[in-house]
Amino acid sequence: MSEIYGVQSNIPSTFDAGIVAGSYFASLCGCILTIEILHRRGTALRNWRSCLACAISMGLVGIWCMHFIGNRAIVLGNGDPSIQLVYASNWTVLSVFLPVIGLTIAFSAAEFSNISTVLHWIALTCTGVIAGLAVVSMHYLGNKGITNYVLNYHAKFLVASVVISIGDCWLVLLLFYRLRERWISSWWKRLLCAALLAGGVSAMHFTASTSCEYKLLRYNDAADLRARETQVLIAAALCGAAAVLIVIILLVARRRDQIVRRRSQKVMLACVMFDPDGRVLVTTDGVLPSREITDKYNHRTFNDDFDTAHPVFLWIYRVTHNWASVVDLIPRMRSHLHAQADSIGDDSRPISSPASAIYDADTYNDYEILFRERFCTAAASIASTIHFRLDQLGVLYDQIIQTGTLRIEPHHKICIHKNLSLFGKGQLMFITRTLNAEETHRLLNGGFRFAYVEHVGRNIAHAMQIPLATLIGHFAGLKRYVSTKRGIADKPGTWLTIFAMSPKTAGKGFDVVVKKDARDLLPDVPL
């Protein structure tokens, strides 16, 4: 027991720099986890569990753990354990729930996306104020639970701590919510955002503790010292759990990136949907919703290229303009594909079931039919992922994109009309359409994002393994394509149309002359 400082005396305080750094790291773990959960969630009304997870990670780890680890950095007197800060358990528990409840309300208010611009700014301002007050209230409520001291705060530092907390939370959350569509593919910007948020929490805590007077009420006994150690161990364990979750998120993201890059060597189907503002639909990883069709198209001969003139592509193109013709066949297609996979594994023909009885047994070896089925089931899978009906998915883009060329041809641009190589490259087909405002909000509620191509283009190009300039050219063509489709309607009056044939440069037959921006329409003029 300390004999230098008596009861009812003011005890001088200092800060342990190492523990101060540790408290910032604790807050940083919680803030990074919060930002990543916010980045990967939908809106609050449809994803209340992720909203609560954000509040828990920020309130429990980013604020509560930081507070008690930060208070451990306060060294009173000569460091004698008998005069260090100890806390009442009831106030400690109460200080956990206050920031979680406040942050749940704050994050819910910020996620209302289908409101006017003015109301959205008001909601973001309220979010910053509520989040800042949650930080401040947790600090002073936690300190209210100190049982062996009476704390007297310096007025100017108390006011400064409130201003720092509210200002930092408002600024960081404003930056995140207003600019997150630009940060989808920029993990370091999200890390910087989390670092600023953790810096504000830490700055508020130690600003409030500056020049604070500690009046000793009693000395600590053995039970107080055990409780003091227990609180720090709990806080450290929670920070460790948050750090483990962050590592898991990084590993999962890296794994997804590897899978996406490998898919660039396969035949893929991707969905390109534009909102009314011209932004493109992407996942929270900043890539297009896509599905694998097959490893590669099995050509019958070396001259049999899978291109826009191939009969299978033409069949697929017609189907996407009339999804109703295949919607009811999707379950049977899946059954047929499963049966085909089983027959390859068992080296025997499967027994027909009611779901696959529509198919003749000889079609099991017809690769073109299998490819068509794989395309339809891949499209149905994408539609299910974004919670759309298949007939709402869109139409097929009239070009096939060559992917997986970045490492093979790193110094050459890829021509959009270039014939596809048989070996070492992938192929990508796009289903595209323009969404209305209601559909846009529905996808936002489902956890997807909309971003301009210049913000996510590098990430998409990396996933497709093609140069960025090539990707931008493709998306410009897609925008023209959907705008042309939207403008097609019954034309009143009398029109003159020409049907002309043009020989192919490779000497493989003839092409039909069509409009440049609408390759499924013949050239025509009004009379």
Side-chain angles (χ1 to χ4, degrees), residues 94-157:
L94 182 61
S95 66
V96 172
F97 292 100
L98 184 62
V100 172
I101 294 173
L103 290 170
T104 301
I105 297 173
F107 291 137
S108 299
E111 287 290 350
F112 286 101
S113 58
N114 54 344
I115 56 178
S116 66
T117 303
V118 175
L119 291 178
H120 189 54
W121 276 97
I122 294 175
L124 290 179
T125 301
C126 292
T127 298
V129 172
I130 295 173
L133 291 177
V135 176
V136 172
S137 60
M138 188 276 133
H139 174 82
Y140 290 106
L141 186 63
N143 282 353
K144 179 71 174 176
I146 296 175
T147 59
N148 59 338
Y149 280 93
V150 173
L151 276 61
N152 295 314
Y153 300 100
H154 199 289
K156 66 177 182 180
F157 289 106

Side-chain angles (χ1 to χ4, degrees), residues 109-349:
E111 287 290 350
F112 286 101
S113 58
N114 54 344
I115 56 178
S116 66
T117 303
V118 175
L119 291 178
H120 189 54
W121 276 97
I122 294 175
L124 290 179
T125 301
C126 292
T127 298
V129 172
I130 295 173
L133 291 177
V135 176
V136 172
S137 60
M138 188 276 133
H139 174 82
Y140 290 106
L141 186 63
N143 282 353
K144 179 71 174 176
I146 296 175
T147 59
N148 59 338
Y149 280 93
V150 173
L151 276 61
N152 295 314
Y153 300 100
H154 199 289
K156 66 177 182 180
F157 289 106
L158 189 150
V159 173
S161 67
V162 175
V163 173
I164 289 173
S165 179
I166 294 177
D168 179 76
C169 290
W170 178 79
L171 177 62
V172 171
L173 294 176
L174 180 67
L175 287 174
F176 176 78
Y177 279 106
R178 297 299 297 178
L179 301 177
R180 64 178 172 180
E181 69 176 27
R182 304 184 184 185
W183 295 0
I184 290 175
S185 57
S186 300
W187 62 267
W188 65 269
K189 292 181 180 179
R190 299 197 299 272
L191 178 61
L192 178 61
C193 192
L196 291 175
L197 186 58
V201 174
S202 299
M204 174 269 149
H205 178 90
F206 291 107
T207 299
S209 300
T210 301
S211 298
C212 181
E213 297 178 356
Y214 299 88
K215 184 177 181 180
L216 182 63
L217 297 180
R218 63 177 179 82
Y219 296 109
N220 299 329
D221 55 23
D224 292 330
L225 296 179
R226 286 195 299 270
R228 172 179 166 85
E229 297 298 328
T230 300
Q231 287 174 334
V232 174
L233 289 176
I234 292 174
L238 291 172
C239 293
V244 170
L245 287 176
I246 293 171
V247 172
I248 291 174
I249 290 174
L250 293 176
L251 292 176
V252 170
R254 181 177 178 83
R255 174 63 177 169
R256 286 181 178 177
D257 181 67
Q258 292 173 346
I259 292 174
V260 168
R261 282 188 293 172
R262 282 201 298 267
R263 285 179 175 176
S264 67
Q265 303 292 328
K266 303 177 183 293
V267 181
M268 298 290 298
L269 175 66
C271 178
V272 180
M273 291 186 171
F274 297 98
D275 73 353
D277 296 326
R279 299 176 300 175
V280 65
L281 172 72
V282 293
T283 67
T284 54
D285 294 320
V287 296
L288 300 172
S290 62
R291 288 294 184 274
E292 177 185 339
I293 299 176
T294 185
D295 286 342
K296 67 176 182 178
Y297 189 87
N298 292 335
H299 305 272
R300 292 182 178 178
T301 66
F302 281 94
N303 294 325
D304 183 26
D305 291 335
F306 180 64
D307 54 19
T308 56
H310 197 282
V312 173
F313 180 86
L314 298 177
W315 182 89
I316 291 172
Y317 187 86
R318 290 194 300 269
V319 164
T320 60
H321 286 75
N322 187 24
W323 282 115
S325 62
V326 297
V327 167
D328 295 334
L329 297 177
I330 297 298
R332 298 183 177 183
M333 290 180 178
R334 289 196 177 105
S335 176
H336 182 228
L337 291 173
H338 285 309
Q340 172 67 11
D342 292 339
S343 69
I344 294 175
D346 299 338
D347 196 23
S348 61
R349 293 286 178 86

Side-chain angles (χ1 to χ4, degrees), residues 238-481:
L238 291 172
C239 293
V244 170
L245 287 176
I246 293 171
V247 172
I248 291 174
I249 290 174
L250 293 176
L251 292 176
V252 170
R254 181 177 178 83
R255 174 63 177 169
R256 286 181 178 177
D257 181 67
Q258 292 173 346
I259 292 174
V260 168
R261 282 188 293 172
R262 282 201 298 267
R263 285 179 175 176
S264 67
Q265 303 292 328
K266 303 177 183 293
V267 181
M268 298 290 298
L269 175 66
C271 178
V272 180
M273 291 186 171
F274 297 98
D275 73 353
D277 296 326
R279 299 176 300 175
V280 65
L281 172 72
V282 293
T283 67
T284 54
D285 294 320
V287 296
L288 300 172
S290 62
R291 288 294 184 274
E292 177 185 339
I293 299 176
T294 185
D295 286 342
K296 67 176 182 178
Y297 189 87
N298 292 335
H299 305 272
R300 292 182 178 178
T301 66
F302 281 94
N303 294 325
D304 183 26
D305 291 335
F306 180 64
D307 54 19
T308 56
H310 197 282
V312 173
F313 180 86
L314 298 177
W315 182 89
I316 291 172
Y317 187 86
R318 290 194 300 269
V319 164
T320 60
H321 286 75
N322 187 24
W323 282 115
S325 62
V326 297
V327 167
D328 295 334
L329 297 177
I330 297 298
R332 298 183 177 183
M333 290 180 178
R334 289 196 177 105
S335 176
H336 182 228
L337 291 173
H338 285 309
Q340 172 67 11
D342 292 339
S343 69
I344 294 175
D346 299 338
D347 196 23
S348 61
R349 293 286 178 86
I351 299 175
S352 297
S353 64
S356 61
I358 189 172
Y359 298 99
D360 186 83
D362 293 334
T363 64
Y364 279 97
N365 294 323
D366 190 338
Y367 182 77
E368 290 187 356
I369 289 181
L370 295 178
F371 187 88
R372 295 173 187 179
E373 292 175 345
R374 287 170 180 165
F375 173 87
C376 293
T377 54
S381 178
I382 293 177
S384 176
T385 299
I386 63 177
H387 308 294
F388 272 41
R389 298 195 313 270
L390 184 58
D391 57 355
Q392 296 176 317
L393 199 57
V395 297
L396 188 68
Y397 183 46
D398 58 7
Q399 292 292 311
I400 301 177
I401 311 305
Q402 182 177 350
T403 60
T405 61
L406 197 57
R407 288 175 295 178
I408 299 172
E409 299 175 359
H411 303 296
H412 299 280
K413 289 186 177 181
I414 305 169
C415 179
I416 193 171
H417 301 295
K418 182 179 178 181
N419 286 334
L420 301 175
S421 174
L422 182 60
F423 301 108
K425 298 181 179 66
Q427 296 169 281
L428 178 65
M429 292 179 283
F430 290 125
I431 290 181
T432 184
R433 61 163 296 194
T434 300
L435 303 168
N436 56 38
E438 180 182 354
E439 292 169 331
T440 300
H441 291 312
R442 192 200 316 170
L443 287 167
L444 288 172
N445 291 341
F448 292 91
R449 296 285 178 261
F450 287 90
Y452 292 104
V453 176
E454 53 266 29
H455 298 153
V456 293
R458 190 173 301 278
N459 209 47
I460 297 175
H462 174 73
M464 296 167 59
Q465 291 291 287
I466 62 175
L468 179 59
T470 303
L471 176 77
I472 293 175
H474 291 321
F475 272 88
L478 281 162
K479 284 187 177 181
R480 289 194 301 268
Y481 183 74

